[in-house]
Amino acid sequence: MDQFKNKQLPEFSGNTTINDKNHLEIGGVDSVYLAEKYSTPLYVYDTALIKERLNEFKEAFSSYEKETQVAYASKAFSSLALYQMLAKESVSLDVVSGGELFLAVKAGFPSEKIHFHGNNKSHQELVEALNADIGCIVVDNFTELDMINQLTTLHQKRINVLIRITPGIEAHTHEYITTGQEDSKFGFDLASGQAKEAVKEAQSLKYIDVIGLHAHIGSQIFETTGYEAVIERLMQHSKEWQDLFNFDLKVLNVGGGFGIRYTNEDAPLPIKDYAISIMRSVKQYSKELGLELPEIWVEPGRSIVGEAGTTLYTVGTQKTIPEVRKYVSVDGGMADNIRPALYDAKYTGVLANKVYAQYYTKVSIAGKACESGDMLIWDLSLPEVEQGDYLAVLSTGAYGYSMASNYNRLPRPAVVFVEDGKDFLAIRRERYEDFLNLEQSVDSKY
Ligand code: LLP
């Protein structure tokens, strides 16, 4: 088996290797050992790769003349241990709910580096954000602006805000679309003048400091043109608002959306390419419009944790329909990874306990939920599969655990961090007993 040693998997750009047992190794830990130690399904995160990606982002913007902030978008994956790790990496954090904020604060994440997003922040969530003294709120609509005004006035507390703009630019993987009608539940649209009104109104409020603008144009973006277009548009409007009512664009937040590799079909750009183009555009329009250079903030989620995650499953039953296909079922599926069912997302995988073989056959990987749509991968080439083999699905680190459910009363899997040959249980597996924590027995009064 020596020929397999340290051989990089063809479809995976992480630290995944194949050891001399022909097993998949992640962060220097044998995945078969992990599956046996923690059971399956199991999310495994290569934390060295997470840190590497964060550093790539920080490095990529380090030549910029003004400050930059890389705010990790927690919605991609959050956990106490991850937040603790991030706190040491001098990055900021984007949260979108009281729940994410709660966990981040519990983890000791510095609250002044937390940004709060969302189109329907509740009164309670805003109180929690103000009490935690977070760094800034990204204001999404007039109702929220009103609530923040009332709360800050009541408590005589100042807060920094960014105004979220619906820029009328949507980026889809390889193209961006300029939509005349800015029809989105998020942010203030430019076309109807609401964005201008929002900035003007927010500026007039006593305890609110408008520090800049925010826009997020989409997900899994492989081109820089969408970011360039949104920068042009937001900076042009900033100039207009500066002339009209002294708006000062101190911060320009261009959101997240940087694409990653799920399969060989995906060809993500190096992070520095996005950064170079974003910095170049901001400098160009600053100069052309006579604006001061703003700080640049970005909010990557998927590109930080996506490729660092692998899900391990145990193979169970199989069914062959002659001349049609072979279904191989695993012990998880849409409950731990809703993305194939929800977005038709594509993944690839390998047999963790026998990565390479002489011959491969085509199989389709089915989840165990009672839904025909619970298919993880169609037509995957694998060595001869047997019951008890371990399947590793690659690049599952983003929007997997964070979107997991208990559908069919499947307990949520455990999450393990691996690095330098060591493993650490970050989130334990749910047990059936955990279900009972929320349940009430009907008593005689009902
Ligand atoms: N900032 C804002 C305001 C966002 O809405 C998002 C994602 C991000 C940053 C992070 O985007 P990323 O870098 O992760 O692409 N559940 C979907 C993705 C939903 C993304 C929502 N917003 C999926 O599984 O593909």
Side-chain angles (χ1 to χ4, degrees):
M1 285 293 171
D2 261 1
Q3 72 269 31
F4 299 134
K5 207 169 177 188
N6 293 330
K7 198 165 164 184
Q8 202 74 20
L9 274 180
E11 292 213 13
F12 196 63
S13 60
N15 290 353
T16 310
T17 49
I18 293 111
N19 65 20
D20 52 9
K21 293 181 187 149
N22 197 19
H23 292 176
L24 186 73
E25 214 169 83
I26 310 164
V29 185
D30 189 318
S31 59
V32 174
Y33 161 81
L34 291 171
E36 278 160 11
K37 177 169 177 185
Y38 297 104
S39 184
T40 58
L42 183 69
Y43 298 98
V44 182
Y45 281 89
D46 175 349
T47 46
L49 188 56
I50 295 180
K51 290 179 230 169
E52 198 180 305
R53 286 292 140 86
L54 285 170
N55 282 326
E56 258 181 84
F57 268 99
K58 286 190 283 181
E59 277 284 298
F61 284 100
S62 62
S63 67
Y64 190 60
E65 288 83 345
K66 280 277 180 81
E67 238 186 81
T68 55
Q69 279 197 37
V70 178
Y72 168 66
S74 300
K75 73 202 89 175
F77 169 60
S78 61
S79 86
L80 197 78
L82 179 74
Y83 284 144
Q84 286 165 341
M85 234 181 69
L86 294 175
K88 292 194 200 133
E89 295 297 316
S90 64
V91 287
S92 303
L93 201 64
D94 147 15
V95 301
V96 292
S97 70
E100 286 182 353
L101 176 61
F102 168 82
L103 204 60
V105 169
K106 280 279 169 207
F109 195 90
S111 52
E112 70 279 6
K113 288 191 184 164
I114 299 179
H115 315 157
F116 198 169
H117 265 289
N119 66 303
N120 187 21
K121 302 176 190 80
S122 69
H123 184 270
Q124 180 59 30
E125 285 176 321
L126 290 171
V127 169
E128 287 160 11
L130 290 173
N131 283 343
D133 287 320
I134 66 163
C136 96
I137 297 180
V138 186
V139 180
D140 205 276
N141 52 68
F142 287 110
T143 321
E144 180 188 333
L145 190 56
D146 243 21
M147 286 197 286
I148 299 174
N149 180 35
Q150 282 172 27
L151 282 167
T152 49
T153 308
L154 182 69
H155 300 288
Q156 302 195 356
K157 207 162 193 179
R158 303 202 72 78
I159 184 78
N160 287 335
V161 304
L162 293 179
I163 304 294
R164 179 161 181 172
I165 308 290
T166 327
I169 290 161
E170 262 181 66
H172 298 267
T173 304
H174 288 298
E175 72 212 27
Y176 78 89
I177 299 170
T178 312
T179 50
Q181 187 199 10
E182 296 160 5
D183 186 2
S184 160
K185 73 168 181 172
F186 293 110
F188 297 94
D189 75 285
L190 288 166
S192 72
Q194 297 201 55
K196 177 170 139 193
E197 266 325 291
V199 173
K200 196 171 164 197
E201 186 184 325
Q203 277 205 161
S204 73
L205 300 173
K206 186 162 174 205
Y207 292 97
I208 291 182
D209 295 314
V210 184
I211 56 170
L213 303 179
H214 171 281
H216 171 79
I217 52 172
S219 294
Q220 250 325 58
I221 300 169
F222 292 136
E223 293 290 334
T224 57
T225 45
Y227 295 101
E228 290 159 11
V230 84
I231 289 165
E232 177 181 9
R233 193 164 286 187
L234 292 190
M235 292 191 76
Q236 278 170 346
H237 283 275
S238 296
K239 168 66 179 158
E240 186 193 318
W241 301 338
Q242 185 181 67
D243 294 345
L244 284 175
F245 44 83
N246 283 328
F247 170 62
D248 182 13
L249 182 76
K250 291 197 193 79
V251 172
L252 182 57
N253 186 330
V254 296
F258 313 99
I260 67 160
R261 185 187 300 273
Y262 286 99
T263 72
N264 267 345
E265 306 285 290
D266 302 321
L269 290 177
I271 286 159
K272 71 169 181 1
D273 288 13
Y274 294 106
I276 287 169
S277 127
I278 290 170
M279 291 187 294
R280 193 195 295 129
S281 296
V282 172
K283 284 190 223 173
Q284 180 194 331
Y285 294 111
S286 286
K287 201 166 166 202
E288 275 179 32
L289 297 161
L291 290 171
E292 278 230 5
L293 263 191
E295 292 183 16
I296 298 174
W297 294 8
V298 288
E299 294 169 338
R302 190 188 316 266
S303 49
I304 302 294
V305 292
E307 291 180 13
T310 304
T311 312
L312 300 177
Y313 300 97
T314 303
V315 170
T317 58
Q318 299 192 29
K319 156 182 168 169
T320 304
I321 309 172
E323 314 290 319
V324 181
R325 74 175 68 250
K326 184 177 194 175
Y327 285 93
V328 170
S329 293
V330 294
D331 54 354
M334 66 189 291
D336 59 78
N337 186 358
I338 190 70
R339 301 190 71 259
L342 195 57
Y343 313 117
D344 198 23
K346 303 286 182 277
Y347 286 88
T348 188
V350 296
L351 282 186
N353 56 315
K354 46 183 177 199
V355 182
Y356 287 114
Q358 202 98 28
Y359 302 102
Y360 292 80
T361 47
K362 233 172 217 176
V363 299
S364 291
I365 307 297
K368 73 178 265 119
C370 285
E371 292 238 357
S372 310
D374 184 16
M375 292 296 299
L376 282 176
I377 305 174
W378 293 99
D379 297 329
L380 174 67
S381 285
L382 287 182
E384 195 61 42
V385 193
E386 293 159 287
Q387 188 175 24
D389 281 341
Y390 296 119
L391 178 79
V393 177
L394 310 178
S395 289
T396 57
Y399 305 104
Y401 189 85
S402 64
M403 294 180 84
S405 75
N406 287 124
Y407 186 46
N408 290 183
R409 285 287 180 197
L410 297 175
R412 261 174 261 249
V415 178
V416 169
F417 288 179
V418 290
E419 189 172 330
D420 278 341
K422 292 196 269 307
D423 52 287
F424 162 76
L425 179 65
I427 308 179
R428 77 149 165 84
R429 180 178 306 285
E430 262 178 345
R431 308 183 184 111
Y432 295 151
E433 290 72 30
D434 291 324
F435 298 153
L436 291 174
N437 287 340
L438 305 174
E439 303 283 337
Q440 301 291 327
S441 299
V442 224
D443 63 19
S444 52
K445 285 184 231 126
Y446 177 73

